Amino acid sequence: MSTIFTKIIKREIPANIIYEDDLVIAFLDISQATLGHTLVVTKREYENIFELDDKISAHLYKVVVKLSKAINKAFNPSGLNILNNNGQVAGQTVFHYHIHIIPRYNESDVNFTLTNNYGLATQEELEKRCKAIQSAL
Ligand code: 5GP
């Protein structure tokens, strides 16, 4: 079954489309968490970041940067977040790859706090974490 975003791509359901090319589409997020909140979506139904190849990821991020600059120019926000949720535990609700561009006007616009665990892991443990990632590259 098609995802909700594929339905938008195929014009089966409406959306406020901002940009489109062969590989990606961008439209306003229906929730408008903040004024100008935009989604950049792959046209192919990749489920998450782990399915992306170099070509689509490079192109996608180029479009994200282009649109971020346009949103910045259009609305003059005080800041801007780039967000991508992968997996239900990370807050993903639509399983079709997309990046949120969220212009920020106030600190209270969006609640997203990173726990600060600085100092909890030993240097040895941190080195083990680096090595685990490096050996998976
Ligand atoms: P996720 O939680 O997967 O990172 O983000 C999914 C986003 O898609 C949500 O912010 C939600 O508001 C948006 N969304 C869900 N359904 C629709 C829709 O039909 N149209 C648009 N424009 N956005 C949608």
Side-chain angles (χ1 to χ4, degrees):
M1 209 184 75
S2 294
T3 68
I4 194 97
F5 293 164
T6 294
K7 290 190 170 84
I8 290 173
I9 292 162
K10 291 184 171 167
R11 305 317 198 253
E12 290 169 5
I13 61 167
N16 296 99
I17 295 170
I18 301 163
Y19 173 87
E20 183 174 25
D21 62 32
D22 289 347
L23 298 176
V24 301
I25 188 167
F27 47 84
L28 292 180
D29 190 299
I30 204 168
S31 72
Q32 287 297 277
T34 63
L35 186 158
H37 177 191
T38 296
L39 298 176
V40 186
V41 180
T42 58
K43 283 205 165 164
R44 228 173 111 172
E45 285 187 0
Y46 301 102
E47 185 171 322
N48 55 41
I49 197 167
F50 309 113
E51 296 189 351
L52 301 186
D53 60 30
D54 285 355
K55 186 180 169 200
I56 187 65
S57 48
H59 180 69
L60 181 76
Y61 206 71
K62 210 160 112 178
V63 174
V64 167
V65 172
K66 198 183 174 86
L67 282 162
S68 296
K69 289 178 179 173
I71 289 167
N72 201 39
K73 199 168 163 187
F75 302 122
N76 194 29
S78 305
L80 184 144
N81 290 110
I82 299 298
L83 176 70
N84 159 232
N85 301 321
N86 296 281
Q88 201 174 346
V89 73
Q92 186 174 8
T93 56
V94 177
F95 294 85
H96 178 155
Y97 192 80
H98 57 281
I99 292 181
H100 296 255
I101 302 176
I102 310 173
R104 298 293 299 275
Y105 305 91
N106 293 294
E107 285 186 19
S108 58
D109 281 344
V110 176
N111 298 309
F112 189 71
T113 312
L114 296 181
T115 308
N116 185 352
N117 290 319
Y118 175 74
L120 290 188
T122 62
Q123 188 54 33
E124 193 188 0
E125 172 56 27
L126 295 175
E127 278 163 23
K128 250 171 76 181
R129 291 176 194 181
C130 285
K131 287 207 175 87
I133 300 168
Q134 283 167 345
S135 58
L137 280 172

